[in-house]
């Protein structure tokens, strides 16, 4: 911080302190500073954070979003110096948790970790009971990304996506996913459109139950993040027939990329960190700096890699927010094309 900025902050704090009666609380000081136009958050920027931070997850425990939150929780707490409390608020494909953050105080003590489903897709497919992403939340940075996957019950005796499409032309192929209007629902609809196949998208409350039914034969398969399917593929309980990366993954050389048969089927899911809109830039930048520090750690990278995620971030909050805005509009166009809005 420059000498000029330090002097301005000190002056604001001194002026507020002089005007405030003895015993006035910090909240009262903030309110008084606001009335006087003294930019009170700047005066207290050096004190953030001073109490626990809630990290909201719009999904149940055990899923990929919850996993990301749990990976970040301890190292982020170490860097910021306060407890990070993961708070699961599942429902409506993650929109319930995102709405909670959108309506929270813009003070940096309520953050959101989310995928495109809850911040880009859900708000557009559920406008009557949603929030405005571009108005109500602000991006801090991307955390990680991963391709989507299509995994099936091995009893189908199918090895690749083309054969699955051929099966779907003889009878509907049922694919489970974690909620209508989400990324995986959209993938199944795109799969049907691009291939001309007959695929039924079956919504579940989370990927866990969908995977269980796919293993049990109640479903033909699932459309999911790669991570939740990977251990079942490795154990032989599910078979990965495609990943939606632009080429095969080095870690899964025997699993075809969907683009090998259908070049238009490229899709990545990602995790991002968000805050309520109007959160002061100083706070956004402080959280981002802490996030960048922990994402550079080998132990954090290893945990994400083991779950088939690639640690991935952008230059800063401004670039990530611009990306999220662009993706919101791109997703909106896709949803209209699919007749989902």
């Amino acid at each position: 911080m420059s000498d000029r900025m330090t002097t301005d902050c000190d002056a604001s704090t001194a002026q507020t302190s002089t005007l405030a009666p003895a015993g006035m609380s910090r909240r009262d000081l903030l309110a008084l500073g606001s009335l006087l136009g003294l930019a009170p958050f700047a005066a207290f920027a050096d004190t953030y954070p001073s109490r626990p931070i809630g990290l909201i997850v719009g999904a149940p425990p055990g899923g990929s979003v919850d996993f990301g939150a749990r990976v970040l929780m301890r190292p982020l707490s170490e860097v910021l110096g306060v407890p990070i409390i993961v708070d699961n608020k599942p429902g409506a494909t993650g929109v319930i948790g995102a709405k909670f953050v959108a309506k929270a105080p813009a003070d940096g003590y309520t953050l959101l970790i989310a995928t495109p489903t809850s911040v880009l897709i859900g708000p557009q497919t559920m406008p009557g009971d949603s929030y405005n992403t571009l108005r109500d939340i602000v991006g801090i940075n991307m955390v990680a990304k991963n391709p989507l996957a299509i995994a099936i019950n091995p009893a189908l005796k199918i090895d690749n996506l083309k054969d699955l499409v051929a099966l779907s032309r003889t009878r509907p192929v049922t694919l489970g996913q974690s909620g209508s209007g989400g990324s995986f629902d959209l993938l199944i609809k795109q799969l049907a459109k691009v291939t001309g196949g007959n695929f039924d998208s079956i919504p579940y409350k989370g990927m866990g139950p969908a995977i269980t039914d796919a293993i049990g034969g109640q479903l033909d398969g699932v459309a999911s993040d790669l991570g939740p399917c990977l251990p079942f593929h490795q154990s032989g309980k599910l078979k990965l027939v495609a990943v939606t990366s632009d080429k095969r993954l080095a870690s899964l050389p025997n699993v075809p990329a969907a683009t090998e048969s259908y070049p238009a089927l490229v899709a990545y899911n990602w995790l991002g960190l968000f805050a309520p809109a109007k959160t002061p830039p100083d706070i956004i930048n402080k959280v981002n700096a802490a996030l960048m520090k922990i994402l550079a750690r080998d132990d954090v990278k290893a945990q994400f890699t083991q779950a088939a995620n690639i640690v991935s971030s952008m230059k800063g909050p401004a670039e990530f927010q611009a990306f999220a805005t662009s993706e919101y509009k791109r997703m909106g166009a896709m949803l209209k094309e699919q007749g989902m809005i």
Side-chain angles (χ1 to χ4, degrees), residues 36-258:
L36 293 172
L38 296 177
F41 275 114
F44 289 100
D46 289 342
T47 69
Y48 174 86
S50 59
R51 55 185 171 86
I53 295 171
L55 183 56
I56 306 302
V57 177
S64 57
V65 185
D66 181 72
F67 167 81
R70 307 278 169 187
V71 171
L72 296 181
M73 178 176 64
R74 182 173 295 175
L76 199 57
S77 175
E78 292 170 358
V79 174
L80 290 174
V82 296
I84 305 294
I85 301 171
V86 173
D87 187 359
N88 295 84
K89 295 185 181 297
T93 64
V95 171
I96 287 176
K99 282 175 63 178
F100 179 86
V101 174
K103 295 179 179 180
D107 56 8
Y109 290 99
T110 305
L111 303 177
L112 172 71
I113 185 167
T115 65
T117 294
S118 55
V119 294
L120 303 182
I121 299 175
Q124 300 191 71
T125 58
M126 295 179 281
D129 184 35
S130 189
Y131 65 99
N132 187 313
T133 297
L134 303 184
R135 180 194 65 212
D136 298 331
I137 63 172
V138 63
I140 297 174
N141 216 319
M142 187 181 288
V143 174
K145 67 178 183 179
N146 65 286
L148 309 185
I150 297 171
I152 61 170
N153 188 303
L156 293 180
K157 305 295 183 184
I158 283 173
D159 295 323
N160 56 61
L161 193 54
K162 270 197 169 180
D163 288 346
L164 188 64
V165 171
L167 175 64
S168 79
R169 292 187 175 129
T170 66
R171 53 100 168 161
V173 169
T174 55
L175 296 177
Q177 43 81 10
S178 58
S180 297
S183 298
F184 311 128
D185 186 23
L186 186 56
L187 173 62
I188 295 168
K189 288 178 168 59
Q190 284 184 293
L191 176 63
K193 180 179 179 179
V194 168
T195 66
N198 187 0
F199 293 92
D200 284 347
S201 179
I202 312 299
Y204 279 74
K205 293 182 178 179
M207 281 313 307
I211 288 173
T212 298
D213 278 1
I215 292 171
Q218 289 80 25
L219 293 170
D220 291 317
V222 294
S224 169
D225 283 321
L226 178 57
C229 298
L230 196 54
F232 300 103
H233 171 74
Q234 292 167 337
S235 68
K237 293 180 179 179
L238 288 178
K239 182 176 182 63
L240 286 167
V241 294
V243 290
T244 62
S245 48
D246 54 354
K247 60 183 179 180
R248 294 194 185 202
L249 300 174
S251 58
L252 292 168
N254 295 324
V255 177

Side-chain angles (χ1 to χ4, degrees), residues 261-313:
S261 302
Y262 306 99
L265 285 175
V266 179
Y268 285 88
N269 215 359
W270 47 261
L271 282 175
L273 198 61
F274 296 84
K278 299 182 181 179
T279 299
D282 283 353
I283 291 177
I284 295 291
N285 290 333
K286 185 172 282 191
V287 174
N288 179 62
L291 180 65
M292 294 303 97
K293 187 172 183 178
I294 67 172
L295 291 181
R297 287 172 42 168
D298 290 340
D299 60 328
V300 172
K301 288 181 180 179
Q303 290 180 76
F304 278 113
T305 299
Q306 288 170 5
N309 287 279
I310 304 165
V311 167
S312 181
S313 58

